Amino acid sequence: MIDEIRKIVAERLNETDDKGARLDGMVALRRTGPAVAPHVFVAGDDLSTLEINPRYPLMTVVSRLHKRLPDIRLGVVARGCDERAYVEMAKRNQIDPERLVILGFACTAEEALECYCAEPFPKNLVVGTPAAPGPQNPIVAKYDTMTLAERRAFWKQQFVKCIKCYGCRNICPECFCEACAMEDKAWVEPGFLAPPFPAFHLIRAMHMASRCIACRQCEHTCPAHIPLTVLYDLMRRDMEALLGYVPGADLAALPPLSVTLEQTPLLLGDAHDPATIPLAPIGR
Amino acid sequence: MGVEFEPKIVAFMCNWCTYAGADNAGVARMESPSNVLPIRVMCSGRISPEMVMRAFRAGADGVLVMGCHIGDCHYSTGNHRSVKRMPLLRNLLATVGVNPERLELTWVSAAEAPRFVQVTHSFTDKIRSLGPLSQEVAE
Amino acid sequence: MNKLIIDGAEYQAQDDQTILDVCRQNGIEIPTLCYHPAMEPYGACRLCTVEVIRHGWSNLHTACTHPAWDGLEVKTQSPAVYDVRRTLMGLFLSRCPHVPVIQNLARQYGVTEPPFATDDPDQKCILCGLCVRVCNDLVKANVINFSDRGIDRQVGPPFLEKTRDCIGCGACTIVCPTGAIDIVLEEAGVYAEKPLGPTAAIYVPSLQAVPRVPVIDTDSCIRFRQQDRSNGKIADACGVCQTLCEANAIDFDQQDEILDLTVGSVIVATGFEMWDPKKLSQYSYGRSPHIITGMEFERLSNAGGPTGGQILLSDGSKPKRVAIIHCVGSRDHNAHAYCSRICCMYSLKHAHLVRDKTGAEVYEFYMDMRAFGKGYEEFYERVQEEGVTMVRGRGAVVDVLPNGKLRVKGEDADLGKLLAVDVDMVVLSTAIEAPHDADKISALFGLGRTADGWFAEAHPKLRPVETNTDGVFLAGCAQGPKDVPDTVAHAGAASAAVLGLLDRGEVVIAPTVAEVNRDDCVGCGDCLLVCPYTAITRVEGKAQINAALCKGCGTCVATCPSGAIMALHFTDDQIVAQIDGVLAWA
């Protein structure tokens, strides 16, 4: 697979489109010695150092390049989650779709399993064959039966580990804000770890409601091994049930929380009487 | 045990409907519970999840979010955003084990002074029966 | 300019005028039957015959067809003229002995009995052909004409049979001098749907219309009907109003227009609707023609109404007993809880009208008499003195008895007894309510509505004409039930508020607007989607707020993930301080 990707990247970098334009570069991972880091390959580069592992949110790099170099046209070697990240970022003007070519490859079945990934391949699939979706996260799968007390107990022992390193935010391709609510002292008390009310994590979860594309980068990054994607998977589930919105699925779909009920109606309950809007199941 | 638990309830009210409704309740000498601590904002759409969480963090046992009925919003569609945000936040509270009944979104118009009184009473009673939030979080 | 002498006096005339024109213009009376100002003169009836002297020669001519030449001398009253007209009227009277117009004219010329034998005493047509000319020249329907000759000559449609070409415009019946033509309505309901009373195709929509100019009802207007019927081929039918209008104000080419106006303020004066008494079945509305609403009573009592202003039952007789029931749909928790304010006084007026016009006994069922205005109490006392029986208590039920009479039952609270009165007519003083489509207006202008459906004013005491939407004001019943003086006062206040704005030339906006900290903005555009006022635009990739458009709702503030927008006077810090403050205190 990696050889095929390298070959296609080489071809793409040398191709000209119908207007005679070439890609200015291809964003991918590069191995230098023992380390792997994002890199912009240009035509003529040694592509034997191009890597696809470990997983890294390359769209963050694309976004920065697009913003700093307003004319640059890039390609990117992307997984399914990278492409979904692109959808939510492009929707919010962080990536210019006109200046990006996605060269997608499919994740392996093992990776899909590891990530509990429901869609382990991009729509712009160029290399590889789609693997079967991974299973649901087992904690998420049994969540409906957990009582409030059980949930509380579960998260208490998770959140207590949090050192507020902001790694989850920093790695997230969808956390592209200039200023962060989690650093605003109005919302998250500075100087306290694991405050009794988990505002830090809840604020991030709310901000992810229409953005989280389930790439699992936050959870992989977390030094405290907090199962953050359980929180976000449940948020994604509630979002889809209430507003029919699946982040990353459709570039044309407007962010549902920002538009009116006419544009994106509630799928559950009656907005005229909020008491009729049902909660997700809670174990008794 | 001793003193009976009296909940603290932060009520975010929009300026045009609920706040006016609350005002009218007062003018009409209707009694609403003193547990309810009103905070006026211009529109229920101004009420962010962060504000709700801050209220919980700062010691509220329940949070009421109140605005104009759908279709009556002074800003035409501000409350459309509340009715999408708040149910998601309720679910999120439930996800981390906070009783979602501690957060309630409801519409009270300027003309509904009796409804304001009824909503605040019943919410206060509900939160009183749930007990303090601190108990729940620090369990 | 022509000069001519008529009956010894000199008059001036235009080239295109006839002798009849000049006479009519100067008030010289000349009788006519076949003349109509909207049509070419024809000289059929000869009744306008005058003596015309030119170059010393005297001749008898019809004034309607003779040009008003320069130097003519005209005698309209000479013995020769009188003789001719007398002869003509004798002939007309012999043909149509029972037509009042003919009888009167004949009498003026000394003819009281038909000088000749009468063929058909019911004959009304004098064969002047005015109807033929109207139908063919004006209406352009070409439906009627003469047929046969000599003594058999008659007027009618082809073969004297019914014809589908007749558009039923009625122009022939209107112009016929002797009333010889009737239109027989074959389709019931065609006219029944039209407003009762005299209505032309061109009319002033209401006496209070501003500007007070007539409108043309294109559904009834002959010109438009002919255009539709002939797919535009007959584009110039009728036009009588245009011909006759001296100000030249009739323009058939005007179209309905939807005006797109840019305005600085709006007064919402959408008024009220009458509540439908069918919603409370105990009043039996619709089960008898004699159970009518106050509004229907007004129509009945109107001089322009179906009975010419007489208060009559459907059989044409006068009612002997009338009940008037107050608060139908008002002050009733099954309908509207509020008082409609206008009904007490109009009910008293109705009682007065019934007493005045019919002398019938009037029973007025009322709960309280709300005679709150200036002079109202005095009117109440006057109506009592006119012999109206006041029953304090709601009229509860109206039953239609088998003999068609109506039985009103209710409690007389003063007597503490149940009461039943049999009457001929019941007038229901129905409530007024907010228009059924008020929700559309409210959505359009962002207006609040009170629980009873009326538009909400900004403050019930201090800002009664303002709304919570800047620049939008309320006048009259749009805000709540009002009688005429209150409506005029309210509307005056609204106008003054608007004029104040116009005069100032600038508006003061609230300082509670949102502001972007551009350093923190990442340009995601969520705020642009949120803003209902399009106050936010993206400038150089970042959000920018137009403070004049921003209304300060703060929804963008709560939406911005980056915390880059600040709601002035409702900042996060201020709200947090309040949250902490109220909780610390409590």
Side-chain angles (χ1 to χ4, degrees), chain B residues 51-121:
Chain B
M51 281 158 61
V52 174
M53 290 183 229
R54 171 72 190 218
F56 280 128
R57 205 187 86 196
D61 300 299
V63 174
L64 264 173
V65 174
M66 293 186 272
C68 310
H69 289 271
I70 295 293
D72 291 346
C73 177
H74 181 65
Y75 305 102
S76 89
T77 53
N79 54 3
H80 288 207
R81 279 70 182 195
S82 322
V83 82
K84 294 178 178 185
R85 262 179 222 151
M86 294 305 160
L88 284 177
L89 182 55
R90 271 162 62 88
N91 272 332
L92 182 62
L93 292 175
T95 296
V96 296
V98 176
N99 194 322
E101 299 302 331
R102 291 185 186 275
L103 169 62
E104 185 170 311
L105 170 70
T106 192
W107 311 135
V108 175
S109 82
E112 292 177 325
R115 180 172 157 74
F116 174 80
V117 170
Q118 180 257 314
V119 164
T120 48
H121 270 298

Side-chain angles (χ1 to χ4, degrees), chain C residues 85-118:
Chain C
R85 291 186 188 159
R86 180 186 162 87
T87 307
L88 283 167
M89 289 321 300
L91 290 165
F92 284 137
L93 191 63
S94 303
R95 181 173 171 86
C96 309
H98 298 307
V99 173
V101 176
I102 303 288
Q103 288 171 335
N104 291 342
L105 269 170
R107 207 173 295 120
Q108 284 180 34
Y109 289 93
V111 186
T112 50
E113 290 298 323
F116 304 104
T118 299

Side-chain angles (χ1 to χ4, degrees), chain A residues 161 168 172 212:
Chain A
K161 299 186 288 186
C168 49
C172 178
C212 175

